[in-house]
Amino acid sequence: MSGLSTHVLDAVSGTPAVGIRVSLFHDTEGEVATAATDADGRVPELLPAPLAEGKYRLSFDTGSYFEVLGTPTFYPEVSISFNVTDPRAHYHVPLLLSPFAYSTYRGS
């Protein structure tokens, strides 16, 4: 399997973060994909085709998510930049989210 997926968990409630708009940008091509997290907080195939080598950025619209919940947030957007070095590989970029902190890692 190749391509890109993501998963967003709300660390405050311990539940999937549903409905977060996620956009993918390539350093030379601009925005190449957009989607929203599903009922499990996932975007299973943001970009199903093999990714070209290069620098990418995922942008998560966290401000709108917290606004719907009526929760103030310090981070209205979370951006995660990463490098694709093997177009045949699958890239999974999870986000653990709270109103005043976030963390990420390269998933599998």
Side-chain angles (χ1 to χ4, degrees), residues 8-67:
V8 185
L9 293 175
D10 185 323
V12 173
S13 65
T15 60
V18 178
I20 291 184
R21 181 182 163 95
V22 181
S23 299
L24 176 66
F25 298 86
H26 184 266
D27 64 344
T28 60
E29 297 176 30
E31 187 173 357
V32 293
T34 188
T37 56
D38 63 16
D40 196 31
R42 296 180 183 274
V43 178
E45 285 190 338
L46 185 57
L47 198 60
L51 292 118
E53 289 184 25
K55 183 178 174 185
Y56 288 83
R57 179 174 54 90
L58 278 171
S59 175
F60 298 83
D61 181 9
T62 54
S64 294
Y65 171 75
F66 284 117
E67 184 177 334

Side-chain angles (χ1 to χ4, degrees), residues 42-95:
R42 296 180 183 274
V43 178
E45 285 190 338
L46 185 57
L47 198 60
L51 292 118
E53 289 184 25
K55 183 178 174 185
Y56 288 83
R57 179 174 54 90
L58 278 171
S59 175
F60 298 83
D61 181 9
T62 54
S64 294
Y65 171 75
F66 284 117
E67 184 177 334
V68 168
L69 296 176
T71 303
T73 182
F74 186 71
Y75 298 106
E77 176 185 355
V78 172
S79 292
I80 302 169
S81 296
F82 60 98
N83 291 315
V84 169
T85 56
D86 181 359
R88 297 166 299 171
H90 178 76
Y91 292 84
H92 182 66
V93 182
L95 176 64

